[in-house]
Amino acid sequence: MRDQLNTEAGQPPALPQPRSEPAAAGRDDVAGRLGWLDSATRRINSALDLAATLRNVGRVLVPALADAAVVHLRDPLPNVEREPGFPDELRIHYSTGTRIGRRGRPSGAEDRRRTRWGTRSNADGGPATPVTRGGALAHALLSRRPAEAAVIGTPAAERTETLLRELYGTRGLARLGAGTSVLALPLRGRKAVLGLLVLIRRPPERTGRPAFDAADTATAAHLATQAGLAVDTALRYAREWEIANELQRSMLPLRLPQPHGVRLAQRYLPGERGAQVGGDWYDAVPLPGNRIALIVGDVMGHSLTSAAIMGQLRTSAQTLAALDLPPHEVLYHLDEQAQRLGREQHLATCVYAVYDPIANRVVIANAGHVPPVLVRPDGTAEVVELDSGAPIGVGGVDFNSVELPAPPGSALLLFTDGLVETRSRPLSDGLELLRAKIAGSTWHAPEQLCQEALRILPPGDRGDDIALLGACFDGIPAGDVAHWYLQPRNETPGRARRLAAHTLRRWGLGELSEATELMVSELVTNAVQHATRPVTLSLVRTTRLRCEVGDDSPLLPRPRRTGPEDERGRGLQIVARCADRWGATRLGTGKVVWFEQRLPQ
């Protein structure tokens, strides 16, 4: 027996190659032929990838049953979930043992490319062959009569010769030559014919093997039936894979926010051929005080359900992040949410970090995820030591936050385990390799950081998808920040106006003073009316001027129409008219109302 074939990643082990000739078991040995058929059938159905399935078909049939085999499939590949109708064109997707029909390619050559559904195939065997209604090719595809072998050059081969002319032209038929035995078998899926399998035996005087007989034809017909079903399965799997992959990508952010004080970049790589869709995700959520939440997670399992659960958890994480809860509290509530979705099937890992560019600190909590890597301004890198915690969805587990210094020039890389753990490399070795790879440099561009991290991937197919989130920390200088706590008294709006005016003069932004004082007065007045604790007022100067007013009331202000005699309700209209942007954010202990203005030239 030949060595076992290494099939696609994640597929069942390949079956042994059958004997070189079924007759070796004895033509009259029914048990031997049935055993060979069983082995061949299992091998044909051992892969879910289209290219691997076609290779298995070829290796089963050649040289055991034929000297050469050519597989023609519909062009374009059909949606097997629906009735595809009449096959308009065929194209060679696999051939072995012959160059017939292939233009300038060696025998059995494979040119893999992506089909419309992401299936890899070698569909570059020359131009597509049109299928003419009523022609010999259409008859071979659609006829329900048992297939019959024919020997080229004999009177009984007229229809087969016409079929070969339609497929390969007159020159192709001539290359086969007289005495060649040909068997053309339709490849039928569950709902429609998908293509044609052409088997070739060269003249007996060249190979010492007789033409196809009735037993050979019956054997080939059985294997063609199995091959058609296997191709149908591969196309269904490819379609489901693409749907799940598109679903997952649609639930990932199209672009990341780019707040002041930090630069962000992301990479997402789906699992390659043979890998199912995973549940990796990343996100970044702006928070009050110019802070930002950085999130990377991974739903356990690989399926369409994993991708759907990933979208639900990402939405929940965004909502919890917007409440400005501590990282460990966010993970706690995510854990509760996952249990509501279904405790047994929806475990996930997640690392959640909040970066403060004013304090130059980062707070991180972990729920069973691979730890991030922090790069210091001097180029040293370390795998952040965190309590690993239990995965989200286990329930009843405490999560802890760790606060670390993150001075300007630092960088943080969050990622999923697909980056550092492979079939041949344990997690600990992958983490150390990643740490060494990104150490020794001061990263100014997060895109370069992510790209350098991906260089540790070994060649070949990946069994898991990968999500990366890179952050380069710039910080915001303390001289560009002003912050006050104000008691909720009647005189507080006036004091807030004076503090804002003084700060703007110190920053050389006197042109913005009048509008800023007016908006600060309106927001602080509204806050004083509802607050029971000190009101916060913050001014931050970056490329824009941002003002934030916070209080402990959870009621968000909303613009409303006011009549000529109304004395209240015009504050937000003034803010909306004077500011370039404004908004309100509900926090775990109140709310923040903010506005931004462009700096003067």
Side-chain angles (χ1 to χ4, degrees):
M1 292 185 182
R2 295 185 179 181
D3 294 335
Q4 289 187 347
L5 173 67
N6 292 323
T7 56
E8 304 305 315
Q11 301 304 325
L15 296 166
Q17 177 72 19
R19 296 182 180 86
S20 60
E21 168 62 50
R27 291 278 181 180
D28 299 327
D29 186 355
V30 177
R33 182 176 285 272
L34 290 177
W36 180 82
L37 276 175
D38 177 69
S39 174
T41 299
R42 284 187 284 138
R43 184 169 188 173
I44 288 174
N45 291 280
S46 65
L48 292 176
D49 178 76
L50 177 59
T53 297
L54 297 182
R55 284 198 299 273
N56 288 342
V57 171
R59 287 165 178 169
V60 161
L61 296 172
V62 178
L65 191 63
D67 297 321
V70 184
V71 178
H72 302 259
L73 296 180
R74 285 174 176 256
D75 189 54
L77 293 174
N79 178 358
V80 292
E81 300 290 344
R82 300 194 300 266
E83 167 59 52
F86 184 81
D88 296 321
E89 292 182 330
L90 298 183
R91 190 183 296 272
I92 294 177
H93 275 247
Y94 180 83
S95 67
T96 182
T98 180
R99 296 181 62 183
I100 189 171
R102 303 190 71 84
R103 306 262 176 113
R105 290 190 169 274
S107 176
E110 296 182 6
D111 173 45
R112 297 175 182 174
R113 69 174 184 174
R114 291 279 184 183
T115 68
R116 60 187 290 191
W117 288 338
T119 310
R120 291 190 183 273
S121 77
N122 53 327
D124 194 19
T129 301
V131 181
T132 304
R133 293 181 182 271
L137 179 54
H139 180 269
L141 289 170
L142 303 177
S143 174
R144 291 289 179 175
R145 296 180 58 186
E148 297 181 358
V151 178
I152 296 176
T154 62
E158 180 179 355
R159 179 182 289 275
T160 300
E161 292 176 2
T162 303
L163 166 66
L164 296 175
R165 288 192 192 94
E166 290 186 30
L167 285 174
Y168 311 122
T170 303
R171 293 180 61 184
L173 177 61
R175 287 177 60 184
L176 290 175
T180 299
S181 181
V182 177
L183 187 58
L185 301 156
L187 297 175
R188 293 190 175 91
R190 292 167 177 81
K191 291 189 176 182
V193 65
L194 302 177
L196 189 72
L197 171 64
V198 178
L199 300 180
I200 300 170
R201 275 190 185 176
R202 297 186 174 88
E205 57 269 19
R206 294 175 55 187
T207 63
R209 183 156 58 174
F212 293 114
D213 60 17
D216 295 328
T217 301
T219 299
H222 171 78
L223 295 179
T225 299
Q226 297 299 319
L229 295 175
V231 168
D232 184 281
T233 299
L235 293 178
R236 289 173 186 273
Y237 176 80
R239 178 171 173 79
E240 291 174 2
W241 185 93
E242 182 173 277
I243 291 173
N245 187 52
E246 290 182 358
L247 172 64
Q248 183 179 26
R249 285 188 175 274
S250 69
M251 291 188 292
L252 293 174
L254 296 177
R255 62 185 63 87
L256 294 177
Q258 295 296 333
H260 298 288
V262 61
R263 284 161 293 142
L264 302 176
Q266 87 287 342
R267 292 289 186 276
Y268 174 75
L269 281 69
E272 291 188 349
R273 181 184 48 186
Q276 293 181 305
V277 172
D280 293 12
W281 92 89
Y282 59 86
D283 211 345
V285 183
L287 302 176
N290 290 82
R291 295 169 303 134
I292 188 162
L294 309 173
I295 313 168
V296 167
D298 183 3
V299 177
M300 295 183 182
H302 295 81
S303 65
L304 188 63
T305 301
S306 299
I309 295 300
M310 176 271 289
Q312 293 176 303
L313 290 180
R314 177 178 170 244
T315 301
S316 299
Q318 282 186 323
T319 303
L320 293 169
L323 295 176
D324 201 16
L325 299 173
H328 59 276
E329 287 291 329
V330 171
L331 295 183
Y332 174 80
H333 290 292
L334 269 181
D335 180 57
E336 289 187 324
Q337 176 65 15
Q339 291 181 76
R340 286 192 290 269
L341 294 175
R343 176 174 179 173
E344 296 180 356
Q345 300 179 359
H346 304 132
L347 297 181
T349 65
C350 181
V351 61
Y352 184 95
V354 174
Y355 170 64
D356 188 338
I358 297 175
N360 292 319
R361 309 285 291 180
V362 61
V363 182
I364 310 175
N366 189 14
H369 200 79
V370 287
V373 176
L374 179 65
V375 184
R376 303 291 184 184
D378 60 1
T380 58
E382 63 175 298
V383 178
V384 180
E385 293 187 3
L386 299 170
D387 291 339
S388 60
I392 291 171
V394 171
V397 178
D398 291 331
F399 300 99
N400 299 314
S401 296
V402 174
E403 185 172 353
L404 301 170
S410 303
L412 186 68
L413 182 67
L414 294 81
F415 49 90
T416 54
D417 57 358
L419 176 66
V420 291
E421 187 176 30
T422 65
R423 300 180 186 92
S424 59
R425 186 173 63 201
L427 178 62
S428 57
D429 292 352
L431 285 172
E432 176 57 26
L433 181 61
L434 175 63
R435 186 204 64 77
K437 188 66 175 177
I438 64 177
S441 299
T442 300
W443 298 100
H444 299 289
E447 295 83 3
Q448 296 178 0
L449 174 62
C450 293
Q451 197 62 35
E452 190 67 17
L454 290 174
R455 296 185 188 276
I456 71 169
L457 290 174
D461 292 347
R462 297 184 303 276
D464 198 2
D465 48 348
I466 299 172
L468 290 87
L469 180 58
C472 293
F473 301 146
D474 298 325
I476 297 175
D480 290 333
V481 180
H483 186 82
W484 301 275
Y485 289 93
L486 307 174
Q487 295 298 324
R489 300 169 181 165
N490 292 334
E491 61 272 17
T492 297
R495 186 184 175 207
R497 288 195 301 269
R498 293 191 295 271
L499 291 172
H502 174 75
T503 302
L504 294 181
R505 287 194 299 270
R506 179 163 55 87
W507 287 344
L509 300 177
E511 298 179 33
L512 301 178
S513 181
E514 182 177 355
T516 303
E517 287 184 57
L518 178 60
M519 290 186 285
V520 166
S521 177
E522 294 294 338
L523 295 185
V524 172
T525 299
N526 184 76
V528 167
Q529 291 176 349
H530 298 91
T532 59
R533 298 178 181 178
V535 174
T536 60
L537 171 64
S538 300
L539 293 175
V540 180
R541 178 184 61 175
T542 54
T543 57
R544 307 173 72 86
L545 176 66
R546 181 181 177 95
C547 174
E548 295 182 354
V549 176
D551 62 71
D552 61 344
S553 172
L555 300 177
L556 295 181
R558 303 184 186 278
R560 62 177 182 175
R561 292 184 179 183
T562 57
E565 299 181 358
D566 290 337
E567 298 182 359
R568 303 178 60 182
R570 294 188 173 87
L572 289 183
Q573 295 180 6
I574 294 174
V575 173
R577 180 65 64 88
C578 297
D580 296 319
R581 295 175 60 231
W582 77 278
T585 302
R586 179 179 284 114
L587 307 179
T589 57
K591 66 175 179 295
V592 166
V593 185
W594 56 269
F595 64 83
E596 290 183 349
Q597 300 176 86
R598 288 189 297 268
L599 299 184
Q601 294 292 334

